[in-house]
Amino acid sequence: MRSHRASLGSIDPLNIPLQPPPNETDEEKVARLEAAREATRISRTIDVGLAESKKALERKKRAVKILLLGQSESGKSSVLRNFRLAFTPKYFESERLVWKTVIQLNLISSIKKTLKVLQDEWEGSDSDAPAASKPPGLSLNSEHKRLALSLSPLLAFETSISRIMNSDAPGGEGYTVTVRPGGGWKDKLTHLGRSASTAPTAPESQSPSSPSSPSSPTAEASGDPSQVTQVLAACQNEIIALWEDPIVRRVLEANEVYLQDDAGFFLDDTARIAALDYVPSDRDIMRARIRTLGVEEHRFITESGLRAGTEFFITDVCGSSSQRSTWIPYFDDVQAILFLAPLAFWQSLDEDTKVNRVQDSLELWREIVSNPLLAKTALILLFNKKDVLQAHINAGIMVNKYVPSFGDRPNDVASVTKYFRDKFSAYHRKFSPQPRQFIFYETEAIDTKSTAVILGEVQEQIIRNHLKDLDVM
Ligand SMILES: Nc1nc2c(ncn2[C@@H]2O[C@H](COP(=O)(O)OP(=O)(O)OP(=O)(O)O)[C@@H](O)[C@H]2O)c(=O)[nH]1
Ligand SMILES: [Mg+2]
């Protein structure tokens, strides 16, 4: 009986598309074989890539993942820098000169703010009231004009460096140093610093009484960090004279500008920072202010300490209210959250001056604590900036003026801390989806020694829990 099925014979129809086309010329054959080799190469590269991604995923699963949360200016990035200093000191050292530029920019920002207030005063006195009607303590004179004029070239440097750090995009408005997410700005500053040190040296510092004028070569504001150092050194007497001038201080106060309370305030350290050979101390680096934009993930392997060789992923976020929705994708698979909440009960949020800062932290804490995605995550609460709290209590700021429910408890740091700790702890108990330990520390992120001790304890706790979860212990 003949089979109804057609015999495949020696021709395999599945192979037909792979067969060389009939009448293939030699050139076509070479091209076809080359294309086949290229396809195999690409396929192998993809396989290797997939294997590497799988390995990286596996590694990330074993690594310790920490998320830094808290409102803007709570100290998240400063805690990250402390982590770096404590556990990756070589890496921290390699970045020291990058921070020099940030600190110089912080100093220039304070000068810029002062000059803006003075400028507004002059414009105001030109337009409305005659100068004579100003209270005597607020009358700016020609010496102030000279100081302002001699410092104005610094502003051009600030603009150029910010532009370089942000790849020519504006680096945010106002007076806070802001950079795009990612570490690209650090590479740019490092590179600029290196090329500047190999370039012919700039002229020796200029006469302090005549710092670079807009037309002088140093005022071209190339964004070269070594030029900023030169110009700051040349201007340091003027900066100190401006900041220490009693009339300028009174004008700033009358305009409710309190530079000392600003993050990244370095005017009191001008003589040191504006010196040609200035190298930032660890504390300076912790005090530097640079606003985080977006979300930054930092991976590092600890170089020293009890757990040297441990891989960490620390995610640092922007704390502004408008940015908080960007945190959520990072809640997955994180072992611990360090939640920073300075007890700045006398302050409101920059982004919404109707909202008290501690109230905002408490609300944010409630949201984090109650989030089901974070039910198993260790939450570590840091009442950061305890030095700032101490200074305000010492200055006689009354808590019950801002927080009436504080009542007539003693107006001291211990009572204030206990009062708010009880509140945060009550939220933690009430809103956690399942019971978990309440872990709490008072910190001062600009004090690297005390912070290192606390971070050592925190690191140990997190790693132990993580190893337990991975069933390694
Ligand atoms: N005095 C004092 N200043 C601190 C402390 N912790 C941080 N700072 C300073 O506060 C400012 C803000 O700290 P950051 O670490 O930049 O704050 P952040 O939470 O990362 O803020 P965003 O990036 O805007 O979300 C910086 O100038 C820090 O140096 C502290 O304990 N005491
Ligand atoms: Mg930050």
Side-chain angles (χ1 to χ4, degrees), residues 269-288:
D269 303 273
T270 302
R272 197 167 55 83
I273 289 172
L276 280 173
D277 57 356
Y278 168 62
V279 176
S281 66
D282 295 347
R283 191 180 171 86
D284 289 345
I285 295 175
M286 299 311 162
R287 285 171 57 207

Side-chain angles (χ1 to χ4, degrees), residues 344-391:
F345 56 81
W346 61 92
Q347 271 183 340
S348 57
L349 292 179
D350 283 351
E351 62 266 33
D352 186 349
T353 49
K354 290 190 293 304
V355 179
N356 179 285
R357 275 189 172 260
V358 181
Q359 188 58 38
D360 174 67
S361 280
L362 203 53
E363 274 307 306
L364 192 53
W365 174 248
R366 188 177 59 74
E367 282 174 34
I368 297 301
V369 161
S370 57
N371 192 311
L373 285 176
L374 300 171
K376 291 202 164 78
T377 309
L379 298 181
I380 299 159
L381 175 64
L382 305 182
F383 279 176
N384 191 35
K385 302 199 178 183
K386 68 173 180 184
D387 58 315
V388 180
L389 173 67
Q390 181 76 62

Side-chain angles (χ1 to χ4, degrees), residues 143 146-147 150-151 206-209 211 231-244 270-271 274:
E143 174 59 8
R146 187 193 71 79
L147 285 176
S150 63
L151 293 177
Q206 299 136 44
S207 147
S209 58
V231 178
L232 271 176
C235 292
Q236 63 172 296
N237 291 343
E238 278 76 7
I239 301 171
I240 294 170
L242 185 80
W243 173 235
E244 292 189 347
T270 302

Side-chain angles (χ1 to χ4, degrees), residues 73 75-78 81 289-293 316-319:
E73 288 199 16
K76 300 178 290 298
S77 303
S78 310
R81 275 171 239 161
R289 168 63 173 152
I290 185 158
R291 190 198 301 270
T292 308
L293 276 189
D316 186 15
V317 301
C318 168

